[in-house]
């Protein structure tokens, strides 16, 4: 194999061509879905003391205080042995003062996931007794294991954290509401964040009352915790870089070990053939995503798939270098004013942050 070629004034060229996400069709076994129910890599090291509250938003300081106390109260009597969860001293966890759940109510970019992951890390229980995942990942787990097996798998946990509780599909909401009811009966503590219901046009955040109504009989188990503030990803940060040329993106892909290179329309087509539960696996081993010819997303189904991919890329801190349109022009005005507006703004915000991270891939 030939060695890397260095060109004066240019970055060295990688020995192999970049990956193509469009060529990958990962398969994710059910046991991996369970094992990966932990905070994503981006949130491995977050803690309550690494959360930086906006000094103009006292609710953010209060949120840290309340959640820290909630975590402290979750010390239980779980233990493991012989490959199975066992109960010692009691068949149920030690009682927790107050509601056995907390709901983080706030707009995108105020740090809800940071706080939720911090709660997971701070809860005094072994990692195998705590679960963290998005609503989509939880419904995928039910699909893979079946309802009863999912109840059995999670009922020995001390804490279940659900990020971005999806209220867009009534069927899934009822399914997960039933699951959570069974877990509450088993003594599992709950924590959740949520997104906007369809029809809540123009609202910057989802109302706690709506969340509690949608999860039916669980309302008494949740303490709503409002977190106000602006999107931290844009707080005091420079504007996102303008898109690069196709040539710059391609050159960077070849010069970056572990980079992928795809044209945007082809990637969108490929996402339709891969279940969203596998988008995380789709990015395994990818160090940077390079996209050419970014265009407006053609329809809502495609847009929602792109939102999931953006979440997985953001979780894994994978920079995104792109040519074509800037990311704030991905979604039409109709989409941005519709029932899924909060998802689309979150995707724009996260892709913009990843575009900033990708600036170093382009030779100056």
């Amino acid at each position: 194999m030939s060695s890397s070629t260095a060109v004066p004034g240019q970055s060295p060229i990688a020995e192999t061509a970049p990956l193509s996400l469009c060529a990958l069709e990962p398969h994710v076994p059910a046991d991996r879905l369970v094992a990966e129910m932990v905070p994503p890599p981006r949130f491995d090291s977050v803690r309550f003391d690494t959360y930086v509250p906006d000094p103009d938003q006292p609710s953010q300081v209060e949120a840290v205080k309340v959640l820290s106390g909630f975590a402290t109260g979750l010390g239980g009597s779980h233990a493991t042995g012989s490959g199975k969860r066992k109960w010692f001293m009691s068949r149920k966890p030690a009682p927790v003062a107050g509601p056995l759940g907390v709901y983080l109510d706030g707009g995108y970019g105020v740090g809800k996931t940071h706080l939720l992951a911090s709660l997971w890390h701070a809860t005094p229980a072994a990692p195998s007794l705590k679960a963290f995942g998005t609503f989509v990942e939880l419904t995928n787990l039910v699909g893979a294991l079946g309802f009863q097996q999912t109840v059995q798998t999670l009922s020995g946990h001390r804490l279940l954290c659900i990020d971005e509780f999806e209220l867009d599909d009534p069927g899934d909401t009822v399914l997960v509401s039933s699951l959570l009811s069974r877990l509450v009966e088993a003594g599992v503590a709950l924590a959740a964040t949520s997104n906007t219901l369809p029809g809540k046009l123009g609202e910057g955040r989802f109302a706690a009352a709506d969340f509690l109504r949608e999860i039916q009989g669980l309302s008494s188990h949740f303490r709503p915790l409002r977190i106000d503030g602006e999107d931290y990803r844009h707080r005091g940060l420079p504007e996102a870089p303008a898109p690069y040329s196709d040539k710059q993106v391609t050159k960077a892909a070849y010069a970056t070990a572990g980079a992928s290179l795809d044209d945007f329309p082809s990637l969108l087509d490929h996402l339709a053939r891969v279940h969203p539960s596998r988008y995380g696996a789709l990015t395994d081993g990818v160090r940077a995503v390079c996209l050419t010819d970014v265009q407006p997303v053609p329809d809502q189904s495609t847009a929602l798939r792109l939102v999931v991919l953006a979440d997985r890329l953001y979780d894994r801190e994978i920079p995104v270098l792109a040519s074509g349109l800037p990311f704030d022009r991905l979604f039409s005005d109709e989409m941005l004013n519709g029932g899924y507006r909060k998802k689309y703004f979150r995707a724009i915000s996260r892709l913009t942050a990843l575009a900033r991270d990708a600036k170093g891939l382009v030779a100056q």
Side-chain angles (χ1 to χ4, degrees):
M1 179 179 292
S2 62
S3 60
S4 299
T5 302
V7 178
Q10 298 181 3
S11 301
I13 303 301
E15 293 183 1
T16 57
L19 306 167
S20 170
L21 298 182
C22 294
L24 304 176
E25 295 188 10
H27 296 280
V28 183
D31 57 352
R32 175 173 170 177
L33 293 177
V34 177
E36 290 187 344
M37 291 195 73
V38 297
R42 176 177 284 270
F43 299 98
D44 278 345
S45 61
V46 302
R47 298 295 186 273
F48 288 128
D49 59 5
T50 65
Y51 180 75
V52 182
D54 185 334
D56 296 325
Q57 302 294 344
S59 64
Q60 295 185 9
V61 177
E62 179 67 11
V64 173
K65 178 181 177 181
V66 171
L67 289 172
S68 180
F70 185 75
T72 300
L74 292 180
S77 55
H78 290 74
T80 58
S82 302
K84 292 185 177 180
R85 288 191 179 86
K86 305 274 188 184
W87 298 99
F88 290 91
M89 303 184 61
S90 171
R91 292 183 61 82
K92 289 200 172 187
V96 178
L100 201 60
V102 61
Y103 163 65
L104 307 185
D105 174 30
Y108 57 89
V110 297
K112 298 192 304 296
T113 302
H114 183 134
L115 291 171
L116 193 66
S118 297
L119 173 63
W120 188 93
H121 288 297
T123 296
S128 61
L129 298 180
K130 302 181 286 187
F132 184 107
T134 65
F135 179 89
V136 170
E137 290 168 331
L138 187 60
T139 57
N140 289 336
L141 184 66
V142 175
L145 300 182
F147 184 84
Q148 293 299 335
Q149 184 60 44
T150 303
V151 171
Q152 293 177 24
T153 298
L154 297 179
S155 62
H157 281 59
R158 200 69 195 91
L159 173 69
L160 171 61
C161 295
I162 308 171
D163 198 22
E164 297 295 342
F165 200 109
E166 305 275 354
L167 297 170
D168 308 321
D169 186 318
D172 283 347
T173 300
V174 171
L175 172 69
V176 174
S177 180
S178 299
L179 173 64
L180 297 185
S181 294
R182 294 284 297 274
L183 296 180
V184 166
E185 291 174 3
V188 181
L190 307 173
T193 70
S194 185
N195 64 21
T196 308
L197 273 172
K200 297 294 183 181
L201 306 185
E203 292 190 1
R205 64 179 185 85
F206 177 74
D210 292 330
F211 172 83
L212 296 176
R213 182 178 63 250
E214 287 297 316
I215 58 174
Q216 301 176 20
L218 288 173
S219 298
S220 62
H221 297 289
F222 278 87
R223 171 180 177 174
L225 187 60
R226 178 172 175 173
I227 306 171
D228 297 306
E230 298 178 357
D231 187 342
Y232 80 90
R233 285 177 286 269
H234 300 303
R235 193 193 309 162
L237 294 175
E239 291 296 321
Y244 296 94
S245 68
D246 287 352
K247 182 178 180 180
Q248 287 175 302
V249 172
T250 301
K251 178 181 174 182
Y254 275 87
T256 304
S260 66
L261 176 63
D262 297 274
D263 72 90
F264 188 67
S266 296
L267 179 60
L268 295 184
D269 289 341
H270 184 61
L271 293 181
R273 297 188 291 272
V274 178
H275 192 276
S277 66
R278 293 184 274 161
Y279 288 3
L282 189 68
T283 65
D284 284 351
V286 176
R287 302 289 298 276
V289 168
C290 297
L291 300 172
T292 59
D293 194 24
V294 171
Q295 302 176 10
V297 179
D299 57 74
Q300 189 150 267
S301 294
T302 303
L304 292 173
R305 288 191 289 267
L306 181 61
V307 167
V308 177
L309 179 63
D311 286 342
R312 300 293 81 80
L313 293 173
Y314 183 77
D315 289 344
R316 290 157 175 77
E317 300 184 275
I318 300 174
V320 178
L321 191 71
S323 67
L325 288 180
F327 289 132
D328 60 4
R329 294 172 60 186
L330 281 173
F331 307 109
S332 67
D333 289 341
E334 181 179 3
M335 291 179 183
L336 294 179
N337 289 315
Y340 300 106
R341 66 184 300 274
K342 188 172 182 180
K343 290 185 178 184
Y344 300 145
F345 278 112
R346 184 179 80 238
I348 291 170
S349 177
R350 290 184 167 185
L351 288 171
T352 296
L354 296 177
R356 293 193 189 103
D357 294 343
K359 289 181 68 174
L361 302 178
V362 179
Q364 301 300 317

